[in-house]
Amino acid sequence: MERNISEIITHFSIEGDFLGFEKNTTGHINDSYRVLTSAAGHPGYFLQWINNYIFKDIEGLMNNISEVTGHLAEKLAENKSLDFKVLEIIPCNDGKKFYLDADGQYWRMYTFIDQMHGHDVVDDVHIAYEGGKAFGIFMSMLADLPANRLTETIPGFHNMAKRLETFYKSLITDSADRVKDIQQEINFVRKRAAQMLGIPALIAEGKLPKRITHNDTKFNNILFDSSDKAVCIVDLDTVMPGSLLFDFGDAIRTGANTAAEDETDLSKVDINLPIYEAYARGFIKSLRQTLTEAEINNLAFSARFMTFIIGLRFLTDFVDGDPYFRTSYPQHNLDRARVQFRLVERMESKADKMHDIVLRSLEIEKAPVI
Ligand code: GN1
Ligand code: MG
């Protein structure tokens, strides 16, 4: 859809005059633009079209982001030694946190975070360790923000029972006539479905604590500075009450896969154990005071859980004719699902090693600093 960016930004309270914009191509959901203005020394702005098909409650979503960024900003002001940055919402001229245009489309704006970069596939243990630490710090800084201040903007986002039910319904409807192409994948899902319901059961029984979590901890949602220190967590659309396991698992799914999320040569897909270990150590270091026994026992499995659930969502979207995730070609969601399922298999074969690494990391990171 062609959008009149120069007109849209007039509704936000920005410094300087509009000079131009560049479209950012990452992410499967929203559309993002870097907007440049004439304000001297200003990094510009990050304007986003928010996908209302996916995010039905934009008011709740922006309120969640505002609560979280406000809380983080307070924490950072109190603790200057933490060299961390937080997204800054730019309000509209009327004070609102989002702009609803005449076509019913939703927009929001942040200050652009300049001179930072992300990592898609990670092959450096230092970067993995930094990333783990950063997501751990993010979660620990949010530990005292009361969870009832946030809305569950996508109900059941990582609810496995619900995702499975939706998948089975889609198979029956078969609206895009694609079920015939995915018999192997259906068998893969059925074989593991029962095992995957273990984590939701622990959450329902109150054995896994609810925390404020990010819920979309793709490794490239961590921004690094020029010396590759992790300094900012972005993409806060799904900050909600959740389990710490979701955040650990999704970062491993993305950061510790030796291949891209949509790699077509499945022989390249594997879990990179040194990267996994480095991330686990960083994460555990930041959260060692808070981790419960049930979280520790399920940390390694959470990587499989999250890889399975995202694979299931890609597969469901393929069956439905791709209404959810942005795709570049007709098989794209199927390719993504196949990568996730191959990664689950690779993690199954290394399950014991992955759990041992968690225990070893705990030993190392829990040792008193001398
Ligand atoms: C979506 O916004 P983006 O592209 O980082 C999705 C995540 C998936 C991810 C898969 C709101 O994240 O849940 O893990 O794609 N976000 C939403 O790459 O559904
Ligand atoms: Mg996202």
Side-chain angles (χ1 to χ4, degrees):
M1 197 193 302
E2 234 1 87
R3 308 178 194 280
N4 189 350
I5 302 296
S6 60
E7 196 281 325
I8 285 155
I9 66 148
T10 63
H11 300 276
F12 289 89
S13 158
I14 63 167
E15 285 177 43
D17 299 323
F18 174 72
L19 289 183
F21 70 90
E22 289 157 18
K23 191 163 184 198
N24 176 308
T25 51
T26 53
H28 303 333
I29 310 278
N30 297 327
D31 286 346
S32 309
Y33 307 84
R34 180 178 185 177
V35 175
L36 296 166
T37 74
S38 61
H42 196 283
Y45 297 94
F46 195 64
L47 174 73
Q48 286 189 300
W49 167 79
I50 316 175
N51 187 326
N52 187 217
Y53 169 78
I54 287 167
F55 299 111
K56 309 277 189 220
D57 176 11
I58 307 271
E59 185 124 25
L61 175 149
M62 287 311 294
N63 180 56
N64 283 358
I65 297 180
S66 174
E67 287 283 346
V68 164
T69 54
H71 188 82
L72 292 176
E74 271 175 33
K75 289 268 148 166
L76 294 176
E78 282 164 19
N79 188 348
K80 298 264 190 257
S81 66
L82 269 178
D83 192 10
F84 224 70
K85 292 190 190 314
V86 56
L87 284 175
E88 181 197 12
I89 301 172
I90 301 296
C92 296
N93 298 328
D94 61 6
K96 277 208 168 135
K97 297 182 186 81
F98 60 87
Y99 168 60
L100 175 59
D101 74 15
D103 302 326
Q105 304 298 316
Y106 290 86
W107 300 85
R108 58 119 183 272
M109 203 180 231
Y110 296 114
T111 305
F112 189 81
I113 301 192
D114 206 9
Q115 290 169 356
M116 300 281 166
H117 60 278
H119 295 273
D120 293 325
V121 175
V122 186
D123 55 12
D124 177 335
V125 288
H126 163 77
I127 287 169
Y129 183 74
E130 273 292 308
K133 241 172 49 185
F135 264 123
I137 291 171
F138 178 86
M139 195 179 291
S140 60
M141 283 198 292
L142 292 174
D144 59 342
L145 175 62
N148 62 9
R149 298 273 283 272
L150 302 195
T151 319
E152 198 180 346
T153 46
I154 303 186
F157 191 49
H158 296 314
N159 180 326
M160 189 67 84
K162 194 171 157 186
R163 295 292 185 188
L164 283 165
E165 192 188 317
T166 306
F167 174 62
Y168 295 141
K169 277 191 186 146
S170 289
L171 292 183
I172 293 167
T173 314
D174 194 12
S175 59
D177 192 26
R178 286 172 163 181
V179 172
K180 59 183 179 348
D181 304 328
I182 59 158
Q183 278 317 310
Q184 266 191 346
E185 287 74 21
I186 296 173
N187 293 339
F188 182 96
V189 170
R190 287 197 195 282
K191 221 172 129 186
R192 289 160 181 82
Q195 178 193 30
M196 292 293 165
L197 292 169
I199 285 186
L202 291 174
I203 295 174
E205 292 160 20
K207 291 188 179 145
L208 280 168
K210 276 252 168 130
R211 302 176 184 277
I212 292 183
T213 46
H214 182 285
N215 294 304
D216 186 9
T217 53
K218 259 187 192 171
F219 200 89
N220 64 10
N221 280 332
I222 310 164
L223 296 187
F224 289 78
D225 68 12
S226 54
S227 56
D228 262 332
K229 184 174 167 359
V231 284
C232 189
I233 300 296
V234 295
D235 191 358
L236 305 179
D237 288 331
T238 49
V239 282
M240 289 184 271
S243 164
L244 168 149
L245 299 178
F246 304 153
D247 282 6
F248 181 79
D250 200 38
I252 299 303
R253 172 185 81 83
T254 49
N257 183 355
T258 49
E261 188 179 61
D262 57 357
E263 173 61 58
T264 50
D265 178 356
L266 292 180
S267 71
K268 291 188 180 159
V269 176
D270 203 350
I271 169 88
N272 183 329
L273 285 183
I275 294 293
Y276 165 79
E277 174 156 13
Y279 188 92
R281 281 189 54 189
F283 190 77
I284 288 170
K285 182 187 177 66
S286 304
L287 288 164
R288 60 186 169 210
Q289 320 285 7
T290 21
L291 282 170
T292 68
E293 205 180 322
E295 286 170 335
I296 291 165
N297 289 338
N298 288 284
L299 210 54
F301 180 72
S302 76
R304 243 193 292 165
F305 177 89
M306 287 306 294
T307 308
F308 181 89
I309 201 167
I310 307 291
L312 180 65
R313 289 173 55 203
F314 284 141
L315 189 62
T316 307
D317 204 37
F318 175 74
V319 174
D320 293 344
D322 313 313
Y324 192 101
F325 295 105
R326 182 181 297 137
T327 51
S328 310
Y329 54 91
Q331 288 245 116
H332 205 168
N333 272 319
L334 179 56
D335 287 341
R336 288 170 175 152
R338 286 181 171 153
V339 169
Q340 308 315 304
F341 290 171
R342 173 59 63 91
L343 186 58
V344 167
E345 282 173 348
R346 301 303 300 141
M347 291 193 277
E348 283 168 352
S349 72
K350 296 180 185 173
D352 292 344
K353 280 192 187 131
M354 288 176 72
H355 185 58
D356 288 347
I357 286 172
V358 167
L359 299 181
R360 194 158 72 226
S361 304
L362 267 169
E363 285 299 307
I364 297 169
E365 298 298 344
K366 269 192 161 169
V369 184
I370 303 168

